[in-house]
């Protein structure tokens, strides 16, 4: 979910187009997925946040560089 959120954010900046509604949907979806992983005890908070940040950083860096 971090990768998808970063994708929308970087594309919004690169295309110079306000993708406000897409960003709102992505933030809400990310929150739902992250909270469901915690609620089901599938992951710890550290794992959820590290996965989010790793995905966001990875795709953000890739899209910015290319």
């Amino acid at each position: 979910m971090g990768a998808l959120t970063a994708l929308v954010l970087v594309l919004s900046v690169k295309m110079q187009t306000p993708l406000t509604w897409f960003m709102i949907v992505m933030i809400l979806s990310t929150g739902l997925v992250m909270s469901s992983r915690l609620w089901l005890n599938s992951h710890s908070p550290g794992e959820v946040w590290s996965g989010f940040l790793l995905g966001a950083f990875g795709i953000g860096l890739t899209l910015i560089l290319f």
Side-chain angles (χ1 to χ4, degrees), residues 27-54:
I27 289 171
L28 290 175
S29 298
T30 300
L32 286 172
V33 169
M34 289 173 69
S35 61
S36 70
R37 302 305 287 170
L38 292 172
W39 186 61
L40 293 172
N41 291 324
S42 298
H43 297 288
S44 68
E47 291 172 338
V48 169
W49 281 107
S50 63
F52 173 80
L53 293 174
L54 182 64

